[in-house]
Amino acid sequence: MGKKQGSRGQGAEGEEECGECGGVRLLPHPPTPPTPPTPPTPPTPPVLFPMPNAQSIILSETKNLMEDLAIFLSKSLTGWLVIQVCFTLVFIWYLRSSKKNLLPDDQLPKTAVILCLRGADPFLPRCLRSLLNQNYPQYDLKLIVDSHEDPAWKIASETITEQEATNVQISPLRIVRNNCSLKCSSLIQAIRELDDSYKVVALVDADTIVHLNWLRELVSPLGDAKVGATTGNRWYVPTGRYWGSLVRYVGNVSTVVQMFIFQIPWGGTLAVKTEVLRQTELLDKWGQALGEDFMMHDILKKHGFQVKFVPSLLIVNREETDLFNLIDYLKRLILFSRLYHPRWLALVSEAVSSILFPTLLSVLVLESLLEAKWEAAALLLVCYGVYTVGLLLIMLVLELEIQRVVRSNDQAIAKLSAATIIKMLIGIPLTQWVYGLAMLSSLWTSTVTWRGVSYRVKGPWNIRLVEYRPYQWLDQPINSKVSL
């Protein structure tokens, strides 16, 4: 047989035609070259977070700290506001529940009313006229004036002549002690000159314009054997011309409540039994002290006596003051408190809550606004606003209660207008800043000056008169309504 047409010697790849049998023989495939080994896949490196630098750590910690501080301040102010509301309610309850138990004439002891004068206070003639016309059977007014040159001497002499008073004695301060204040020197002189017929001594300040029954209401509670002293307090008016007057008013609102809670007497209206003076040796303490009233609570308490606050003896004070003179006054007041107040640490705690915390909160508000943290700023501002408005409401409630007491004693007092209430609201943060400045300044105070007299203070019972000169007419302020 011939070859088939189209036959080929070699077929497709891997095939070969067999000549002998005409078949096809499969040939082996050429060897496949070895596949090169796949290189091992390198391990996937772990995802590394960038290491924070020191600045980012500080910023994060600062942010957390500020948030914690804001929460702490908010809670603290809320708690402190609740405490102030409670104190206010207790004070108002006492005002409303106290009854006047006035002794009849035959049971009222003979009393010496002592007024110490250095300089002519703005309302001195009115003060003297009110003291010379008391509804009290047996009392004498003892005036101790710094010197014959003092402006108060002339005013007092003229007022006595005008009133044709016979139950008054005016004397100059004869011994200026070097280890106590001039007021303490005057008190010691006046009390030591009293005879045994006087059973009660009443102290009054020249800025106090008293009502007709002032002395009777002051002395009557001393009929209780447990009561060693009785007292009232001053109440400023918020309608003055100067911001200093408003700040003093705002600060005094809390001071009046504090003094009631702690039973601290006020030397501007204060009565003490003469036997208590002898038993407690209070005159010896006054002979070494800068002030006469703050110390009395502890001294009387040691001898088993109480200090009784008489609500009807809240006396309206209409004197004015500017911020500069107010800071000097506050520094003296804070120094007196640090030296003699029986609850000084409680006052410090109150100052931290009332001054430092609100100030820090306002700083946080400003910081949040500067960093455009609007939500945080709004929350902090709401907290600060609630606290401030809460204080304003406390002041308004107390003002209304005091006006009720004052009007019952036929004392005139102006009603609050909308403008005055707005000023009171503005005055709250201003008072916090002014009191804070005065408190910081008083920490380094070792010399105090009052009405031209300087004292060096080294301790409660280590007082030295540094400089003394008689008070002159030229020392009087130009504005006749400004406090000395």
Side-chain angles (χ1 to χ4, degrees):
M1 292 179 64
K3 293 181 182 179
K4 291 181 180 180
Q5 187 177 357
S7 65
R8 51 188 175 90
Q10 184 173 350
E13 182 180 355
E15 297 180 0
E16 182 180 356
E17 186 178 347
C18 182
E20 295 178 357
C21 60
V24 177
R25 184 180 56 182
L26 295 178
L27 297 176
H29 286 281
T32 303
T35 304
T38 304
T41 304
T44 304
V47 179
L48 298 179
F49 294 97
M51 292 296 293
N53 54 30
Q55 183 178 2
S56 63
I57 294 176
I58 292 175
L59 290 175
S60 177
E61 291 182 352
T62 302
K63 180 181 178 181
N64 294 334
L65 180 62
M66 298 296 282
E67 292 176 354
D68 292 342
L69 180 59
I71 295 172
F72 170 75
L73 291 176
S74 301
K75 292 182 177 180
S76 298
L77 285 182
T78 302
W80 176 236
L81 182 62
V82 171
I83 292 174
Q84 291 186 79
V85 169
C86 293
F87 284 167
T88 302
L89 292 177
V90 172
F91 183 68
I92 292 175
W93 171 81
Y94 186 82
L95 293 181
R96 287 179 171 269
S97 61
S98 295
K99 306 296 182 182
K100 292 183 181 180
N101 297 315
L102 303 182
L103 296 176
D105 288 357
D106 58 343
Q107 296 182 26
L108 289 171
K110 186 177 181 180
T111 301
V113 180
I114 301 176
L115 174 60
C116 306
L117 298 173
R118 176 177 167 87
D121 288 77
F123 300 102
L124 179 58
R126 292 180 60 184
C127 169
L128 291 171
R129 283 193 288 268
S130 66
L131 291 172
L132 291 170
N133 292 279
Q134 285 295 293
N135 178 24
Y136 197 91
Q138 296 184 77
Y139 80 100
D140 293 308
L141 178 59
K142 307 289 185 179
L143 303 179
I144 307 296
V145 186
D146 188 62
S147 69
H148 290 93
E149 308 170 39
D150 198 293
W153 185 280
K154 182 175 184 295
I155 293 174
S157 300
E158 292 175 350
T159 305
I160 292 170
T161 302
E162 169 201 305
Q163 296 292 307
E164 299 179 352
T166 57
N167 61 334
V168 58
Q169 178 184 356
I170 180 171
S171 306
L173 177 61
R174 287 185 285 272
I175 300 176
V176 177
R177 297 169 178 265
N178 293 322
N179 56 342
C180 66
S181 66
L182 289 181
K183 183 176 183 180
C184 288
S185 292
S186 299
L187 290 175
I188 292 171
Q189 174 180 311
I191 293 174
R192 286 184 172 167
E193 290 178 352
L194 298 177
D195 58 47
D196 293 339
S197 64
Y198 294 96
K199 304 302 180 183
V200 174
V201 171
L203 311 184
V204 65
D205 284 346
D207 61 353
T208 306
I209 302 174
V210 301
H211 53 274
L212 185 63
N213 286 321
W214 169 81
L215 188 55
R216 185 182 292 265
E217 293 168 5
L218 184 63
V219 174
S220 290
L222 293 176
D224 186 343
K226 296 180 180 179
V227 177
T230 54
T231 189
N233 217 321
R234 62 160 67 96
W235 188 262
Y236 294 103
V237 294
T239 54
R241 294 172 49 197
Y242 300 104
W243 282 102
S245 301
L246 181 63
V247 169
R248 183 169 63 176
Y249 164 81
V250 174
N252 187 68
V253 171
S254 62
T255 299
V256 169
V257 177
Q258 286 173 12
M259 292 177 70
F260 163 73
I261 295 295
F262 295 138
Q263 291 190 328
I264 306 301
W266 172 51
T269 290
L270 175 64
V272 190
K273 301 172 186 176
T274 53
E275 62 176 317
V276 172
L277 290 176
R278 289 190 293 268
Q279 185 176 342
T280 59
E281 299 180 344
L282 196 55
L283 294 188
D284 294 336
K285 289 292 186 182
W286 285 350
Q288 308 172 61
L290 196 60
E292 80 287 359
D293 45 8
F294 281 7
M295 71 175 74
M296 290 183 62
H297 173 270
D298 277 2
I299 293 176
L300 294 181
K301 186 177 179 180
K302 289 179 181 177
H303 290 81
F305 295 110
Q306 301 173 358
V307 176
K308 183 176 179 60
F309 171 72
V310 183
S312 61
L313 300 180
L314 284 162
I315 310 298
V316 176
N317 186 304
R318 295 177 175 82
E319 293 182 358
E320 296 266 16
T321 187
D322 55 30
L323 285 174
F324 180 79
N325 290 322
L326 175 63
I327 290 178
D328 282 343
Y329 161 77
L330 292 177
K331 288 167 63 176
R332 290 196 304 270
L333 182 63
I334 293 170
L335 177 62
F336 287 178
S337 300
R338 177 159 54 90
L339 293 175
Y340 305 112
H341 200 292
R343 302 293 182 270
W344 166 242
L345 293 181
L347 288 187
V348 172
S349 176
E350 189 273 341
V352 170
S353 300
S354 298
I355 300 173
L356 182 60
F357 287 174
T359 302
L360 287 177
L361 193 62
S362 61
V363 170
L364 289 179
V365 171
L366 293 176
E367 186 263 347
S368 298
L369 290 174
L370 291 175
E371 295 186 1
K373 300 176 181 178
W374 311 119
E375 185 177 349
L379 290 174
L380 292 172
L381 194 59
V382 167
C383 179
Y384 185 80
V386 169
Y387 176 74
T388 304
V389 172
L391 293 181
L392 176 64
L393 293 176
I394 289 175
M395 284 196 297
L396 293 176
V397 170
L398 280 173
E399 178 67 30
L400 293 176
E401 284 297 320
I402 300 303
Q403 288 188 5
R404 182 185 59 82
V405 173
V406 167
R407 290 195 178 98
S408 68
N409 293 324
D410 297 325
Q411 298 184 71
I413 187 169
K415 293 184 178 181
L416 297 179
S417 64
T420 300
I421 294 175
I422 293 174
K423 287 182 65 177
M424 290 166 63
L425 181 63
I426 299 173
I428 291 174
L430 181 59
T431 301
Q432 294 164 357
W433 300 332
V434 171
Y435 270 67
L437 177 61
M439 180 161 283
L440 289 176
S441 301
S442 69
L443 296 177
W444 296 275
T445 299
S446 59
T447 301
V448 59
T449 301
W450 182 70
R451 301 197 183 193
V453 181
S454 298
Y455 305 92
R456 181 174 293 112
V457 181
K458 295 184 178 180
W461 318 113
N462 190 354
I463 311 297
R464 289 294 176 268
L465 179 63
V466 176
E467 179 186 355
Y468 168 80
R469 61 179 179 83
Y471 199 89
Q472 306 289 335
W473 278 103
L474 293 177
D475 297 319
Q476 291 288 132
I478 298 175
N479 188 337
S480 62
K481 290 187 177 180
V482 171
S483 300
L484 297 186

